[in-house]
Amino acid sequence: MRAAIAGASGYAGGELLRLLLGHPSFEIGALTAGSSAGTRLGEHQPHLPALADRVIQDTTAEALAGHDVVFLALPHGQSAAIAAQLGEGTVVVDCGADFRLESAEDWTHFYGGTHAGTWPYGLPELPGQREVLREARRIAVPGCYPTSVTLALFPAFAAGLVEPDVVVVAASGTSGAGRAPKSHLLGSEVIGSVSAYGVGGVHRHTPEMEQNLAKVAGGPVRVSFTPTLAPMSRGILATCTAPAAPGLTAAALREAYETAVKDEPFLHLLPEGTWPATAMTAGANTAVLQVALDERAGRVVAVAAIDNLTKGTAGGAVQSVNLALGLPEELGLPLNGLAP
Amino acid sequence: MRAAIAGASGYAGGELLRLLLGHPSFEIGALTAGSSAGTRLGEHQPHLPALADRVIQDTTAEALAGHDVVFLALPHGQSAAIAAQLGEGTVVVDCGADFRLESAEDWTHFYGGTHAGTWPYGLPELPGQREVLREARRIAVPGCYPTSVTLALFPAFAAGLVEPDVVVVAASGTSGAGRAPKSHLLGSEVIGSVSAYGVGGVHRHTPEMEQNLAKVAGGPVRVSFTPTLAPMSRGILATCTAPAAPGLTAAALREAYETAVKDEPFLHLLPEGTWPATAMTAGANTAVLQVALDERAGRVVAVAAIDNLTKGTAGGAVQSVNLALGLPEELGLPLNGLAP
Amino acid sequence: MRAAIAGASGYAGGELLRLLLGHPSFEIGALTAGSSAGTRLGEHQPHLPALADRVIQDTTAEALAGHDVVFLALPHGQSAAIAAQLGEGTVVVDCGADFRLESAEDWTHFYGGTHAGTWPYGLPELPGQREVLREARRIAVPGCYPTSVTLALFPAFAAGLVEPDVVVVAASGTSGAGRAPKSHLLGSEVIGSVSAYGVGGVHRHTPEMEQNLAKVAGGPVRVSFTPTLAPMSRGILATCTAPAAPGLTAAALREAYETAVKDEPFLHLLPEGTWPATAMTAGANTAVLQVALDERAGRVVAVAAIDNLTKGTAGGAVQSVNLALGLPEELGLPLNGLAP
Amino acid sequence: MRAAIAGASGYAGGELLRLLLGHPSFEIGALTAGSSAGTRLGEHQPHLPALADRVIQDTTAEALAGHDVVFLALPHGQSAAIAAQLGEGTVVVDCGADFRLESAEDWTHFYGGTHAGTWPYGLPELPGQREVLREARRIAVPGCYPTSVTLALFPAFAAGLVEPDVVVVAASGTSGAGRAPKSHLLGSEVIGSVSAYGVGGVHRHTPEMEQNLAKVAGGPVRVSFTPTLAPMSRGILATCTAPAAPGLTAAALREAYETAVKDEPFLHLLPEGTWPATAMTAGANTAVLQVALDERAGRVVAVAAIDNLTKGTAGGAVQSVNLALGLPEELGLPLNGLAP
C-alpha cells in the first residue's frame, strides 16, 4: 500500500515517516509540505537517511492523489479542503484537530470559526471504537493530551469508580508545540525550566477530554486541565485525579485497570508501586499506566506516560489505519521504547 | 555574625554558603559534614572558589559551638540531637523535616518513629508568622513543596475564595532529591523524562501542606498531592487547584492575590495572562505566582514557581534568620534570578 | 537462533535487548546479571514491556550455555573467564574492553593487570575487517569513542590525506558511563553542564584509536584525545582534526569520503555544509559524517555523530554478529533515528 | 553612576541588568531595544522582577545620552553609528564584534563590509591590557569563545611552553546564539543533542583568538577552531591543545599556570586532577582552568570553563568598566556560581 504524507517536514510528519519506514505493508509515496516544498527531506529530517534525497512537493490534491492512505499533518484548519478532494476509497487521516470534536459549539468556543465536521475518532482503546475504526475511511487522530488522559482514566470511568469531576495536570515535551520557530520555545528558554500555559480551562484539548470521558462515563464529565511544558523533546506525563466513588477499595481499583488493559496491545499497567516515566515510552506506541487510591484525600490518582509523537500522534494514527485496512492492529508499531 | 553550616557538602549546604557569601552581615564559620569530613570544600562545591580551601569538619556540637547561627542541613532525624547541645541563645535553623509538623500522629504516620517536637515554622509569608519568627531561636525551614503550595494558595484561602479540597501536582528538579548517589537519579535516567513518584497520599510533604493551609482557612483542608520529577537541576512548579467558592468572580480572585502580595518582598504576582516558569526564579528567593478562575470546571487554579534550593530551602532559611536576628528581611537575598 | 545476554540490567544490555526484539532471526534466551539476579527485567528496563516479566538469572556458564550467540555486557575484566567456558561453536561477543587491544603493553599501561588476549575486532567498516568477521566466533566490540573516531578519520588516512598527528575532542552522553550510581553522574550534576575528564592522554580508549588508525595509515598514529561529558543520555560527537597532507584540496578530500562511504550501509555522509548532530542518530546504527579542509589552519576536520549505545555498542555488536552468522549485515538494525 | 543598556530585551542585555542590579555603584538608566520598544521589561526578562515595570525605549542616541556608561548589546554592525553620537566622556561598551579586530582585512574576510575600527579590548587578564582599560572610554567586549580560549592558553604562550599551532574544540550553551527565534535553536532540536557548526576555519571568532594569542606569543599563532552546540542554556567549555615545547615538564607547565593566575581575581586554577565543568561557573564572572601535559601525544591540553553570558559577555564588560571608571575591578561581580 502507498502512503502519502502532507506536512512531511514537521515533527508529526517526521514521526509518521519513521514509523512507515519500519512498517512492512507500506511504501512511502508523495511527501508534501508548505514552505519546505522543493527542498530535500534530508534538510528537515536528517535522522531519516533512508529518505534523505526525496524531494518535497507542494501540498495539493494532485500530489496526494493515487495513494491508499493519506496522512495529513497540517496546521489546524487546513485539512478539510484537502480531504474533500481525495477519493472516498482513500483512507484519509487527519493528525490535526479539525474533525475531533462532535460539538460544533465547543469547536467554535475553543477554536473559533466554523466546525468542519466529525470523523471517526482514532483511539481504538476507547470502548467500542475499535469496531468503528475497522469501517472508517476518514480518521481523526486524537490530540496528544486527550490520548494520555483518556487512557489514564477510561478504566475508572468504565467501571464507575470515580465521580465526573476530573483534575488533570500534564507535562509535555516541546515537540508538542511544533517546529515553527518561536522565542518561548528556544532551547535557551525551555532548558532548565518547567512552565505552565493555557491555564484556567482555555486549552483546546479540554473539550476533547470531556467528550471522550463522557462517553465512557455515560454522562457529562468536567475536566480542569493544566498543561505544562517540560525540558524534554518528547513525552507526556498526565496526572489525572477524580473523587473516588463511595466505598471504593484499592483492590477493586487495581482489578478494574487490570481488566481494562488485559487485551490491549499498547497499554502497559506497571506493577504496583512503580510509576510511569515518559522515558519508558520514547518512540514506542505504548501507554504506560498506574493508578492509586488516596484514601486520605478521597481521590483516585491515575497517571499515564506516552510519547506525544508516537502513541500521541503518528503511532496512534498508524494503529487506527491498520484497523481501517484490515491489517493486524500492532503491525509495524514499536511496543518497546528507546531508553535511556 | 558567625554562621556554621552542618551538611556543607550537600546541595542545601552549598546553597546556604552561596547566599551567605553574598550576605553583608555574616562571616562563614565552621563547615561540617559526615563522610566528607576531612576533605576540602572545593571538592564538593567547586562553584564556590571563595571557599575552595576550607576544610570540612565532623558534625559535632563542639565544631558548631560558638556561632550566632547554626544551619543544619542534615538527613531527617539527625537534627534534634545536635540542636539539644547548642546554646539557647544560638539561632538554630533546621533545614530538615524534624520540627515542621505539629501533629505527632502525622509525624509517626508519614515519617515513622517518635516526633521530636515543633519549632517556629520558617515561612514569613504565612499570616502572622513573621511576628513569630522575630522572636524565634529555633526555626524549622519548610519543605520545598509545601513552600510552593502554601504560597500559591494562601491568598485564596485567606480570603475564603476556595473550598478546602485541594489537588496539587508539582514538578521538581532533581536537586530536591539530594546528592546521595541513586540509580534512578542518574543523569541518564532523568534527562528526557518526567516521572511521577510518591503518588496516592504517601508523600511526606502532604501533612505539612494541610497544616499550613488549615491555619489560613481556619479549618481542615484536604490535599491530594502528586510530585513529579523533571529533567532540570533546580526549580519547583506547583499547580494547585481547589473548587471555587460560590459566586466567585475572576476580578475578586485577582484582587485577593494582589492584596496578599502587595507588601511581600519575595512574592511576585505576574501580569494577567502570563504564567510562572521555574527559570524565572533560578537562584532567587522569589516566588512567582499566577491565578485563574476556570468557570467551566468551577475551580481556582493557582500556580507557583520557586527555586527549591533558594526560596524552597536556603533562601527561606536566611529570610527567617534575618527576622530572628532583627535584620532587614530582604538582606543579602537575591530578588532577581539567573536566566536564561 | 537463540541469544543470551549477560549484563541484561545495564544500559548496554538493555540496548542489545531492544535491538534483538526487533531482529527477525533471534529469539531471546537467558538474561543474566550480577546483583540484579532474581529480579524481573521490568524493574530495570521498563521501556521493554515485551520482556517485563522475564526473570534475570545469575551470570554463570551454565545459564549462558546452549545459545547460538552470547553477548557479554559485563564490567571490564569479567569476560575472559566466562568466555573460556562457552563452546567454540558459540559466537561470543564481548561488549567490554578485554579483547580489543593487540598490544599487551598498551593493555597493561592503560588498564593494568594482564592482557587477556585479542579477539577479532567488531568494526566491519575498517578496511578488510568485514571478511575477518565473517569467520569469527569471538568478537571484541569496539569502544564507543574509538568507533566514532575511526569512522570519522579512516577515509582520510586510507587515502593518505592527513598526517598521523591527530587531535580528538569528543562529547558523550551520560549513558556511556554506565548505570552504577555515582555522585558526579547524578542528574543534578550533569544537567546544564559540559565537563572534561580523562584529559592528557590517560583515557583508555586512546590506544584503541591509535591501533585502528595505524592499520589504515600503514604506520604509527598519535592521538591526543579529550573526552567531555554532555547533558544528554545518548550520543557521541567526535571532532577529529589532523594536519592536511601537502597540496590537499577540498575536492579531493570530499571525494575520498564519498568513495569510502559509498557501499557502507551504516555510514551517512551529509551534504556539504551540513554538520553532524547526535540527535540524527538516536537509536540508529548509523554514523553520520562530515569533513572539511581548513586551509587557514592547514588541517582536516572530520566530525562523526553516533549513538554510543547503538552503533557505539549494541548495534555494532549485532552488525558484527550478523556477519559472523552469515546473515545480511543490515538485518534487524535501524538505519533511521528517533528525532526530535 | 547611571548606566544605559541598548538591547535590553536580549540575553546579553538581561545579564547586564542582572549584574548591574547587584552592583553598588550603578543606577540603571535608559533601557532600549529595537522591536521590543514600547513594551515592559517584565515581558522579556521575567527573572528580573525588580525592573518588571520599566518601559523599553527605542534605541536612539537621545535615549542613551546623559549616562556615565552605555552598554551596547546590539546585533553586529549597529554599534558604530550609535557610538559616534555619544559624548567622548561617556564610557561606551560594545558587546558586539564591531571593534574587536585590529586587522581590517580579517574583518572583511570574516564579517564582510567595512571595518568600523578598533577599540581597547576588554580582557583585563591579557598581559598589559588592564592598564589600557584604565584609560579607556571605548571598550570592545571580547567574544565569548575568544575569552575562554585566551584565558585557557595565555599562560602557556606567555611562558613559551607551546608551539603556535593550536586546536580548539569548544562546547557552548544555546544562549550564545541569541534570542531571535530560529528552527535549529528550538528546544526540540537542541535538547538531547550535541552538534558541530561553523567548522573548517569559518567561525568569526577564529581571527580574534589568533589576535589575542599572537600578542602573548610575540608572533603569529594558527588556530583550528570547531564550535559545538550543547544542550544547556549557558556555559562554554573550551578544550585547547598545542604542541608542547621541547623538554617541557608537567611541573613547569603547572607552575606557569599557577603564576599566571596568582593575582587574577577571576581566574581559578583547579587542583591537579580536577577538570572544569561549565556548571562551576553559572552566573559567575570566574573562569575555571586546568592544564595537563600529554607526553604520549606531545601536546599541552588546557581547558577553560566560563559562563558565556557572564565572564564571556556581561561580566567581562562590567569588569572592564570597573577599571575604566577607577572602581575596584571585582566590584559587584559574582566570584561564585550557581550550582547545581
PDB file of all heavy atoms in Angstrom, chain A residues 2 15 22-23 31 63 115 117 133 162 165 184 186 220 248 255 273 340:
ATOM      1  N   ARG A   2       0.388   2.283  -0.658  1.00  0.00           N
ATOM      2  CA  ARG A   2       1.165   3.522  -0.755  1.00  0.00           C
ATOM      3  C   ARG A   2       0.572   4.593   0.162  1.00  0.00           C
ATOM      4  O   ARG A   2      -0.635   4.793   0.182  1.00  0.00           O
ATOM      5  CB  ARG A   2       1.211   4.040  -2.182  1.00  0.00           C
ATOM      6  CG  ARG A   2       2.007   3.121  -3.115  1.00  0.00           C
ATOM      7  CD  ARG A   2       2.184   3.763  -4.480  1.00  0.00           C
ATOM      8  NE  ARG A   2       3.163   4.835  -4.473  1.00  0.00           N
ATOM      9  CZ  ARG A   2       2.956   6.056  -4.973  1.00  0.00           C
ATOM     10  NH1 ARG A   2       1.793   6.375  -5.492  1.00  0.00           N
ATOM     11  NH2 ARG A   2       3.909   6.980  -4.938  1.00  0.00           N
ATOM     12  N   GLU A  15       7.718  11.776  12.289  1.00  0.00           N
ATOM     13  CA  GLU A  15       7.458  10.563  13.063  1.00  0.00           C
ATOM     14  C   GLU A  15       6.631   9.574  12.251  1.00  0.00           C
ATOM     15  O   GLU A  15       6.863   8.358  12.321  1.00  0.00           O
ATOM     16  CB  GLU A  15       6.737  10.929  14.365  1.00  0.00           C
ATOM     17  CG  GLU A  15       6.482   9.772  15.306  1.00  0.00           C
ATOM     18  CD  GLU A  15       7.735   9.215  15.968  1.00  0.00           C
ATOM     19  OE1 GLU A  15       8.853   9.633  15.614  1.00  0.00           O
ATOM     20  OE2 GLU A  15       7.598   8.346  16.845  1.00  0.00           O
ATOM     21  N   GLY A  22       9.452   1.543   8.943  1.00  0.00           N
ATOM     22  CA  GLY A  22       9.572   0.250   9.620  1.00  0.00           C
ATOM     23  C   GLY A  22       8.329  -0.604   9.508  1.00  0.00           C
ATOM     24  O   GLY A  22       8.234  -1.647  10.164  1.00  0.00           O
ATOM     25  N   HIS A  23       7.404  -0.204   8.688  1.00  0.00           N
ATOM     26  CA  HIS A  23       6.125  -0.916   8.569  1.00  0.00           C
ATOM     27  C   HIS A  23       6.167  -1.793   7.312  1.00  0.00           C
ATOM     28  O   HIS A  23       6.449  -1.303   6.222  1.00  0.00           O
ATOM     29  CB  HIS A  23       4.995   0.105   8.468  1.00  0.00           C
ATOM     30  CG  HIS A  23       3.624  -0.472   8.701  1.00  0.00           C
ATOM     31  ND1 HIS A  23       3.053  -1.400   7.857  1.00  0.00           N
ATOM     32  CD2 HIS A  23       2.706  -0.246   9.665  1.00  0.00           C
ATOM     33  CE1 HIS A  23       1.844  -1.715   8.303  1.00  0.00           C
ATOM     34  NE2 HIS A  23       1.613  -1.037   9.408  1.00  0.00           N
ATOM     35  N   LEU A  31       5.592  13.044  -0.577  1.00  0.00           N
ATOM     36  CA  LEU A  31       5.874  13.833   0.621  1.00  0.00           C
ATOM     37  C   LEU A  31       5.591  15.282   0.248  1.00  0.00           C
ATOM     38  O   LEU A  31       6.172  15.798  -0.714  1.00  0.00           O
ATOM     39  CB  LEU A  31       7.340  13.686   1.027  1.00  0.00           C
ATOM     40  CG  LEU A  31       7.861  12.258   1.185  1.00  0.00           C
ATOM     41  CD1 LEU A  31       9.318  12.278   1.630  1.00  0.00           C
ATOM     42  CD2 LEU A  31       7.014  11.488   2.168  1.00  0.00           C
ATOM     43  N   ALA A  63      -0.919  16.093  -5.842  1.00  0.00           N
ATOM     44  CA  ALA A  63       0.240  15.376  -5.310  1.00  0.00           C
ATOM     45  C   ALA A  63      -0.187  14.225  -4.409  1.00  0.00           C
ATOM     46  O   ALA A  63       0.468  13.172  -4.370  1.00  0.00           O
ATOM     47  CB  ALA A  63       1.141  16.342  -4.532  1.00  0.00           C
ATOM     48  N   HIS A 115     -17.233  24.793  12.470  1.00  0.00           N
ATOM     49  CA  HIS A 115     -16.852  23.398  12.644  1.00  0.00           C
ATOM     50  C   HIS A 115     -16.885  22.669  11.302  1.00  0.00           C
ATOM     51  O   HIS A 115     -17.867  22.746  10.576  1.00  0.00           O
ATOM     52  CB  HIS A 115     -17.844  22.757  13.630  1.00  0.00           C
ATOM     53  CG  HIS A 115     -17.472  21.376  14.055  1.00  0.00           C
ATOM     54  ND1 HIS A 115     -18.407  20.397  14.305  1.00  0.00           N
ATOM     55  CD2 HIS A 115     -16.256  20.816  14.275  1.00  0.00           C
ATOM     56  CE1 HIS A 115     -17.781  19.291  14.678  1.00  0.00           C
ATOM     57  NE2 HIS A 115     -16.487  19.517  14.679  1.00  0.00           N
ATOM     58  N   GLY A 117     -16.755  19.410  10.803  1.00  0.00           N
ATOM     59  CA  GLY A 117     -17.419  18.111  10.849  1.00  0.00           C
ATOM     60  C   GLY A 117     -16.728  17.179  11.822  1.00  0.00           C
ATOM     61  O   GLY A 117     -15.816  17.593  12.542  1.00  0.00           O
ATOM     62  N   LEU A 133     -13.514   1.930  13.851  1.00  0.00           N
ATOM     63  CA  LEU A 133     -12.352   2.222  13.017  1.00  0.00           C
ATOM     64  C   LEU A 133     -12.165   1.185  11.915  1.00  0.00           C
ATOM     65  O   LEU A 133     -11.594   1.488  10.860  1.00  0.00           O
ATOM     66  CB  LEU A 133     -11.095   2.326  13.892  1.00  0.00           C
ATOM     67  CG  LEU A 133     -11.080   3.591  14.774  1.00  0.00           C
ATOM     68  CD1 LEU A 133     -10.023   3.476  15.870  1.00  0.00           C
ATOM     69  CD2 LEU A 133     -10.823   4.837  13.922  1.00  0.00           C
ATOM     70  N   VAL A 162     -15.199   6.416  39.779  1.00  0.00           N
ATOM     71  CA  VAL A 162     -14.867   7.819  40.098  1.00  0.00           C
ATOM     72  C   VAL A 162     -16.035   8.737  39.769  1.00  0.00           C
ATOM     73  O   VAL A 162     -16.888   8.418  38.942  1.00  0.00           O
ATOM     74  CB  VAL A 162     -13.614   8.298  39.323  1.00  0.00           C
ATOM     75  CG1 VAL A 162     -12.359   7.643  39.877  1.00  0.00           C
ATOM     76  CG2 VAL A 162     -13.751   8.025  37.832  1.00  0.00           C
ATOM     77  N   ASP A 165     -15.610  14.575  38.041  1.00  0.00           N
ATOM     78  CA  ASP A 165     -15.078  15.905  38.350  1.00  0.00           C
ATOM     79  C   ASP A 165     -13.560  15.780  38.386  1.00  0.00           C
ATOM     80  O   ASP A 165     -12.961  15.608  39.443  1.00  0.00           O
ATOM     81  CB  ASP A 165     -15.643  16.343  39.708  1.00  0.00           C
ATOM     82  CG  ASP A 165     -15.408  17.823  39.966  1.00  0.00           C
ATOM     83  OD1 ASP A 165     -15.030  18.542  39.035  1.00  0.00           O
ATOM     84  OD2 ASP A 165     -15.617  18.235  41.117  1.00  0.00           O
ATOM     85  N   HIS A 184       9.623  31.644  22.778  1.00  0.00           N
ATOM     86  CA  HIS A 184       9.448  30.955  24.063  1.00  0.00           C
ATOM     87  C   HIS A 184       9.742  29.465  23.958  1.00  0.00           C
ATOM     88  O   HIS A 184       9.766  28.776  24.974  1.00  0.00           O
ATOM     89  CB  HIS A 184       8.052  31.194  24.626  1.00  0.00           C
ATOM     90  CG  HIS A 184       6.977  30.432  23.915  1.00  0.00           C
ATOM     91  ND1 HIS A 184       6.512  30.767  22.667  1.00  0.00           N
ATOM     92  CD2 HIS A 184       6.280  29.336  24.272  1.00  0.00           C
ATOM     93  CE1 HIS A 184       5.568  29.911  22.298  1.00  0.00           C
ATOM     94  NE2 HIS A 184       5.414  29.039  23.254  1.00  0.00           N
ATOM     95  N   LEU A 186      12.574  28.418  22.307  1.00  0.00           N
ATOM     96  CA  LEU A 186      14.020  28.274  22.120  1.00  0.00           C
ATOM     97  C   LEU A 186      14.609  27.385  23.211  1.00  0.00           C
ATOM     98  O   LEU A 186      14.152  27.400  24.353  1.00  0.00           O
ATOM     99  CB  LEU A 186      14.690  29.651  22.204  1.00  0.00           C
ATOM    100  CG  LEU A 186      14.520  30.561  20.981  1.00  0.00           C
ATOM    101  CD1 LEU A 186      15.114  31.935  21.288  1.00  0.00           C
ATOM    102  CD2 LEU A 186      15.207  29.954  19.760  1.00  0.00           C
ATOM    103  N   PRO A 220     -22.110  13.542  31.576  1.00  0.00           N
ATOM    104  CA  PRO A 220     -21.126  14.618  31.454  1.00  0.00           C
ATOM    105  C   PRO A 220     -19.991  14.506  32.470  1.00  0.00           C
ATOM    106  O   PRO A 220     -20.202  14.076  33.604  1.00  0.00           O
ATOM    107  CB  PRO A 220     -21.942  15.894  31.685  1.00  0.00           C
ATOM    108  CG  PRO A 220     -23.226  15.453  32.289  1.00  0.00           C
ATOM    109  CD  PRO A 220     -23.462  14.044  31.882  1.00  0.00           C
ATOM    110  N   LEU A 248     -15.080   2.701  47.439  1.00  0.00           N
ATOM    111  CA  LEU A 248     -14.058   2.126  46.552  1.00  0.00           C
ATOM    112  C   LEU A 248     -12.876   1.593  47.361  1.00  0.00           C
ATOM    113  O   LEU A 248     -12.395   2.241  48.280  1.00  0.00           O
ATOM    114  CB  LEU A 248     -13.569   3.202  45.566  1.00  0.00           C
ATOM    115  CG  LEU A 248     -12.466   2.758  44.613  1.00  0.00           C
ATOM    116  CD1 LEU A 248     -12.944   1.658  43.675  1.00  0.00           C
ATOM    117  CD2 LEU A 248     -11.961   3.948  43.808  1.00  0.00           C
ATOM    118  N   GLU A 255      -8.119  -3.993  40.109  1.00  0.00           N
ATOM    119  CA  GLU A 255      -8.728  -5.016  39.267  1.00  0.00           C
ATOM    120  C   GLU A 255      -9.375  -4.405  38.023  1.00  0.00           C
ATOM    121  O   GLU A 255      -9.302  -4.963  36.929  1.00  0.00           O
ATOM    122  CB  GLU A 255      -9.780  -5.795  40.086  1.00  0.00           C
ATOM    123  CG  GLU A 255     -10.225  -7.059  39.381  1.00  0.00           C
ATOM    124  CD  GLU A 255     -11.370  -7.736  40.131  1.00  0.00           C
ATOM    125  OE1 GLU A 255     -11.557  -7.442  41.339  1.00  0.00           O
ATOM    126  OE2 GLU A 255     -12.078  -8.546  39.502  1.00  0.00           O
ATOM    127  N   GLY A 273       3.136   0.033  42.760  1.00  0.00           N
ATOM    128  CA  GLY A 273       4.225   0.750  43.412  1.00  0.00           C
ATOM    129  C   GLY A 273       5.214   1.378  42.453  1.00  0.00           C
ATOM    130  O   GLY A 273       6.057   2.168  42.864  1.00  0.00           O
ATOM    131  N   PRO A 340      18.198   4.333  27.895  1.00  0.00           N
ATOM    132  CA  PRO A 340      17.928   5.644  28.482  1.00  0.00           C
ATOM    133  C   PRO A 340      18.102   6.730  27.415  1.00  0.00           C
ATOM    134  O   PRO A 340      18.572   6.452  26.347  1.00  0.00           O
ATOM    135  CB  PRO A 340      19.021   5.760  29.530  1.00  0.00           C
ATOM    136  CG  PRO A 340      20.165   5.023  28.947  1.00  0.00           C
ATOM    137  CD  PRO A 340      19.582   3.894  28.165  1.00  0.00           C
TER     138      PRO A 340
END
